[in-house]
Amino acid sequence: MAKLFFETYGCQMNLAEADSLVTKSEQRGHTIVECPEDADIIIINTCSVRLTAENHVIGRLGYYRMLNKERHDRDLRIILMGCMSENVGLEVKKQFSDIVSILWGTYNKDLFLDYIEDLVVKQESLGFGAAYSFMPATPSKEYSFKAFLPISHGCNKHCSYCIVPKVRGLEKNRDFQEIIDNAKQLVDEGVKELCLLGQTIDTYKHEGKRLPDLLETIARQSGAERITFLTSHPREFLYETIELMNTYSNMMPFLHLPFQSGNSRILKLMKRNYNIEEYLEKVENIRKIRPDIILSTDIIVGFPTETEAEFEDTLKAFKTVRYNEAFMYRYNTRPNTPAENFEGQVDEEDKLRRLDILVRTHRGIMSELLAGQIGSKTTALFDRESKYSDKIFAETGQKQYLGRTLNNTVCIVDSSVDLRGNVLAVELYDSLNAVMKAKLI
Ligand code: SAM
Ligand code: SF4
Ligand code: F3S
């Protein structure tokens, strides 16, 4: 039996898969260690969506090479797994052949466990599964009362900037009943919040059942206190999912709806299949159904040929919608994506300047939106202590806990009782940077 260390990068899908892999490894009798220095085998679950994610892993491999040289009792073995393996794994393996023993792709990640004995005798292997199969989701290793529940894998869209369809393959939908059973099992194990996952989650389909059917069944049958889902695609988005938020109090009134750009010419080049007017109309309709819904988004600035005026369109749409949460990126060329060869790449300096404007605009909007929540009463699921908790404890005798309200706003509460893992009624009484100050009621 081996000592394994898991290191995970990228999106929630990677986190969900890593949680399942840790559980499966323990079931096989392996020990999960807390730091890489204690491990026999390190499994790096990689991401390729931006170059920074790949570079970070290269840096880690450099560190592990050094660690291996300093180690005299046994060799350190590395399994490079996931999206980066699919994308550039062979080159990385060549560069780090002394420590990377197995390249493993994005399919059937759990089958790597069959290779561990081979690894112990240093037999090198390459593993890329032929088809994706869903692993049972397990409670999050970080917060045992939350779980990511993948319902579909891969993506049938062809956004011209994106590596995901290449590294994850075509969309595959999970069996409806299997998801329901998995959701119930998670709740039995103590999970309070379920986050359903899919790259374009609205396209979920299984034997005539669609995302609203799945959400409704989970809301009614699973016993989960809070249910949310990621990521909605503006073209595929279904209003029924918002209507469910009005019917079921355990459906979180929160929606992640990336718009990427506020300019229709750029959206067309991105192959997003909607224009900005259609997007804004959908947001308006969503707010008619659920006026207090909290929206979040992803934006890319500096896509090839984006002019200053086109960036201003993004800024305008951003200010029109007023998102509570926004993940903002500068365009990053990804090898083997259509946009790689587009002419008119934007200077890094311009991209950084546009990103900075967007980030500052977001801060302003967010603080106004948070101020608008002052005085409201809701519930929050507390998940961790704040980094100032010990300092506050020394001063006041109370610790400081962070939670997420039902609409996914971060709130902070001082308490002499450990609040972690509990869903509690709170009143939001002040706003502070990106969080709300709250008290228990
Ligand atoms: N499927 C989701 C969707 O369509 O919104 C998003 C998946 S992707 C993992 C997460 C985000 O990364 C995207 O929404 C996009 O904003 C960003 N992204 C993807 N490729 C990128 C690239 N080449 N450069 C910069 N950002 C990128
Ligand atoms: Fe990438 Fe587009 Fe698919 Fe999202 S919908 S994963 S951005 S190709
Ligand atoms: Fe990254 Fe792969 Fe997710 S590229 S964002 S880990 S699907």
Side-chain angles (χ1 to χ4, degrees):
M1 291 301 122
K3 289 181 184 160
L4 308 181
F5 178 76
F6 282 87
E7 188 165 322
T8 301
Y9 299 94
C11 62
Q12 289 88 348
M13 188 64 82
N14 257 11
L15 290 172
E17 289 169 344
D19 286 337
S20 299
L21 290 175
V22 166
T23 303
K24 287 211 169 200
S25 305
E26 286 171 335
Q27 286 166 353
R28 291 268 195 118
H30 300 296
T31 306
I32 309 298
V33 294
E34 293 292 318
C35 54
E37 289 75 11
D38 296 334
D40 304 319
I41 300 170
I42 295 175
I43 300 103
I44 312 184
N45 208 353
T46 59
C47 172
S48 264
V49 79
R50 280 167 290 276
L51 185 62
T52 38
E54 291 188 346
N55 282 346
H56 191 78
V57 168
I58 298 292
R60 294 296 288 167
L61 289 173
Y63 169 69
Y64 290 140
R65 169 175 279 164
M66 198 187 71
L67 194 67
N68 191 39
K69 278 188 188 144
E70 286 169 0
R71 196 186 257 197
H72 301 297
D73 57 336
R74 65 201 197 282
D75 280 337
L76 179 62
R77 300 283 110 213
I78 289 180
I79 300 176
L80 192 75
M81 175 179 277
C83 298
M84 190 173 165
S85 262
E86 296 273 0
N87 195 28
V88 288
L90 290 170
E91 289 125 73
V92 178
K93 189 163 187 302
K94 228 186 251 169
Q95 193 185 341
F96 290 94
S97 56
D98 52 330
I99 46 170
V100 174
S101 298
I102 294 185
L103 282 182
W104 201 274
T106 51
Y107 289 1
N108 301 85
K109 287 182 172 177
D110 53 331
L111 295 188
F112 88 90
L113 285 163
D114 295 343
Y115 286 75
I116 282 194
E117 281 73 31
D118 288 350
L119 255 193
V120 172
V121 291
K122 289 197 205 157
Q123 186 183 316
E124 301 206 341
S125 325
L126 277 177
F128 288 97
Y132 188 84
S133 62
F134 290 91
M135 292 181 273
T138 60
S140 152
K141 298 299 162 200
E142 195 175 9
Y143 307 119
S144 60
F145 38 86
K146 293 188 179 188
F148 292 117
L149 179 55
I151 67 163
S152 63
H153 176 267
C155 183
N156 289 349
K157 301 282 176 201
H158 302 280
C159 302
S160 59
Y161 51 80
C162 185
I163 194 78
V164 173
K166 180 183 175 243
V167 294
R168 290 277 181 175
L170 290 175
E171 183 176 298
K172 180 170 178 181
N173 293 299
R174 194 173 174 197
D175 180 275
F176 185 87
Q177 193 53 47
E178 197 182 297
I179 300 171
I180 307 293
D181 293 345
N182 199 170
K184 288 182 183 165
Q185 171 71 29
L186 289 166
V187 174
D188 285 348
E189 289 175 46
V191 167
K192 296 189 171 164
E193 184 178 300
L194 287 172
C195 178
L196 275 54
L197 295 181
Q199 289 295 353
T200 57
I201 198 155
D202 335 75
T203 53
Y204 174 82
K205 213 183 233 170
H206 184 263
E207 294 176 352
K209 301 263 197 348
R210 306 197 61 191
L211 179 66
D213 305 309
L214 187 58
L215 286 170
E216 182 160 25
T217 312
I218 292 177
R220 290 166 73 132
Q221 296 184 2
S222 71
E225 290 186 48
R226 294 151 58 114
I227 300 153
T228 187
F229 55 93
L230 291 172
T231 295
S232 294
H233 188 284
R235 185 176 174 97
E236 309 292 347
F237 170 77
L238 300 162
Y239 291 112
E240 292 98 303
T241 55
I242 306 299
E243 280 154 11
L244 288 172
M245 294 172 189
N246 287 338
T247 314
Y248 297 98
S249 59
N250 53 357
M251 287 284 307
M252 295 173 74
F254 167 78
L255 183 71
H256 183 57
L257 193 66
F259 77 100
Q260 312 293 3
S261 166
N263 177 272
S264 297
R265 186 187 76 85
I266 295 292
L267 285 172
K268 199 166 175 201
L269 280 179
M270 287 177 164
K271 290 212 163 36
R272 288 290 288 178
N273 286 321
Y274 53 85
N275 61 39
I276 192 61
E277 289 74 27
E278 288 165 342
Y279 180 91
L280 294 174
E281 192 186 327
K282 288 208 168 170
V283 168
E284 223 177 288
N285 292 338
I286 289 165
R287 284 187 166 146
K288 273 186 201 146
I289 303 171
R290 182 78 193 208
D292 66 343
I293 194 161
I294 291 289
L295 294 175
S296 89
T297 199
D298 292 348
I299 305 174
I300 299 176
V301 298
F303 189 76
T305 75
E306 184 190 71
T307 63
E308 213 53 40
E310 288 166 338
F311 166 66
E312 290 290 331
D313 289 341
T314 296
L315 201 55
K316 191 170 153 213
F318 193 50
K319 286 179 181 167
T320 304
V321 178
R322 295 167 67 77
Y323 298 91
N324 277 66
E325 215 170 349
F327 300 89
M328 299 160 275
Y329 309 103
R330 60 191 151 125
Y331 170 70
N332 186 219
T333 311
R334 299 285 57 219
N336 309 313
T337 59
E340 180 194 8
N341 300 315
F342 284 7
E343 290 184 358
Q345 299 284 334
V346 175
D347 284 349
E348 283 306 306
E349 219 171 272
D350 285 330
K351 286 186 202 168
L352 281 171
R353 185 177 39 76
R354 289 174 197 174
L355 190 62
D356 184 55
I357 294 172
L358 213 51
V359 169
R360 279 189 287 115
T361 307
H362 176 55
R363 276 196 208 123
I365 293 173
M366 193 172 56
S367 65
E368 284 168 24
L369 290 174
L370 289 182
Q373 290 195 55
I374 292 175
S376 63
K377 292 178 181 160
T378 178
T379 55
L381 171 56
F382 290 90
D383 48 29
R384 65 205 139 108
E385 280 186 47
S386 87
K387 59 180 177 189
Y388 306 111
S389 193
D390 287 341
K391 186 168 168 265
I392 304 237
F393 183 71
E395 287 163 11
T396 66
Q398 291 199 314
K399 292 209 163 188
Q400 197 168 55
Y401 296 93
L402 287 167
R404 288 230 175 216
T405 65
L406 191 62
N407 68 17
N408 220 18
T409 302
V410 181
C411 72
I412 194 160
V413 167
D414 293 344
S415 167
S416 41
V417 182
D418 190 345
L419 305 181
R420 287 172 295 179
N422 294 302
V423 178
L424 299 164
V426 292
E427 180 175 344
L428 310 177
Y429 69 88
D430 202 359
S431 59
L432 182 81
N433 302 322
V435 303
M436 294 295 302
K437 284 178 144 184
K439 58 181 181 214
L440 300 180
I441 50 175

